[in-house]
């Protein structure tokens, strides 16, 4: 009886794999169409869907259109997630350029994305944010600098830990 169950499980996994591959392929549109949608007056939902598709298929040509959305509270998250997955420095440069153009949740999210990309070139931008009066931004900066894990990251975090107020030491210590 158990071999029969194993065969059914295997068959089910194959069917699910085929269906998920087909659905991924079915939702793909040409990159140029997705970029046009981002630059148009399309609805927020349509632009968010375009960002999700560009996460899978986009490249350097999509970066400028995604970068324009980083300061939009309704689309920043979707744009960041798409940029996080893109290879090359263009996506990293877009995130670095946006980090000091926003504040609060948006800035914190951009900092998180920089940390996900482990962008060593962003460390000089992030270190001053370790002292941000916005605790969320300061904590995000600490975690991002820790994820980047470059030699200058460790030195910056050690210095920040020594000078930090007691309520900030936990996040910096975690990042170390």
């Amino acid at each position: 009886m158990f071999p029969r169950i194993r065969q059914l499980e295997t068959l089910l996994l194959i069917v699910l794999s085929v269906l998920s591959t087909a659905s991924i392929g079915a939702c793909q549109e040409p990159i140029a169409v997705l970029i046009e949608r981002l630059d148009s007056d399309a609805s927020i939902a349509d632009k968010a869907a375009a960002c999700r598709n560009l996460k899978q298929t986009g490249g350097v040509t999509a970066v400028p259109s995604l970068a324009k959305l980083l300061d939009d509270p309704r689309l920043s998250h979707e744009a960041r997630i798409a940029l996080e997955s893109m290879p090359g420095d263009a996506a990293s440069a877009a995130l670095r350029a946006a980090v000091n153009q926003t504040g609060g949740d948006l800035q914190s999210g951009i900092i998180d994305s920089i940390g996900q990309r482990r962008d060593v070139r962003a460390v000089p931008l992030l270190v001053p944010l370790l002292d941000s009066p916005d605790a969320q931004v300061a904590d995000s900066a600490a975690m991002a600098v820790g994820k980047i894990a470059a030699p200058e990251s460790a030195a910056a975090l050690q210095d920040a830990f020594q000078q930090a107020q007691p309520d900030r030491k936990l996040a910096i210590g975690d990042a170390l």
Side-chain angles (χ1 to χ4, degrees):
M1 178 175 248
F2 290 111
R4 180 81 173 144
I5 292 173
R6 178 72 70 202
Q7 289 173 341
L8 289 172
E9 286 176 343
T10 303
L11 179 61
L12 180 61
L13 286 173
I14 291 169
V15 168
L16 289 173
S17 176
V18 168
L19 289 175
S20 67
T21 303
S23 68
I24 289 171
C27 73
Q28 300 300 323
E29 294 181 75
I31 293 171
V33 171
L34 297 170
I35 292 170
E36 281 180 35
R37 188 167 304 133
L38 293 182
D39 295 332
S40 74
D41 291 332
S43 70
I44 297 300
D46 287 343
K47 287 183 178 188
C51 289
R52 286 190 296 274
N53 284 335
L54 286 168
K55 175 184 176 18
Q56 298 171 7
T57 62
V60 69
T61 57
V63 171
S65 295
L66 290 165
K68 290 177 192 173
L69 302 177
L70 291 173
D71 64 352
D72 184 333
R74 301 165 299 170
L75 291 166
S76 181
H77 178 77
E78 298 289 352
R80 285 189 306 99
I81 298 305
L83 288 168
E84 278 181 19
S85 67
M86 292 183 176
D89 190 56
S92 293
L95 291 164
R96 286 192 305 266
V99 76
N100 287 316
Q101 303 303 315
T102 57
D105 291 343
L106 294 181
Q107 187 177 30
S108 182
I110 291 167
I111 293 167
D112 290 343
S113 292
I114 289 170
Q116 286 298 107
R117 291 184 62 83
R118 290 173 170 67
D119 181 7
V120 174
R121 293 177 62 190
V123 172
L125 295 172
L126 299 177
V127 169
L129 297 175
L130 294 171
D131 293 329
S132 174
D134 183 330
Q136 181 180 354
V137 169
D139 291 352
S140 292
M143 294 309 294
V145 170
K147 281 183 184 178
I148 293 168
E152 58 268 31
S153 298
L157 288 170
Q158 288 172 346
D159 288 345
F161 186 83
Q162 295 300 321
Q163 298 171 15
Q165 297 297 319
D167 61 330
R168 296 286 176 91
K169 288 190 182 254
L170 181 60
I172 297 169
D174 285 348
L176 279 167

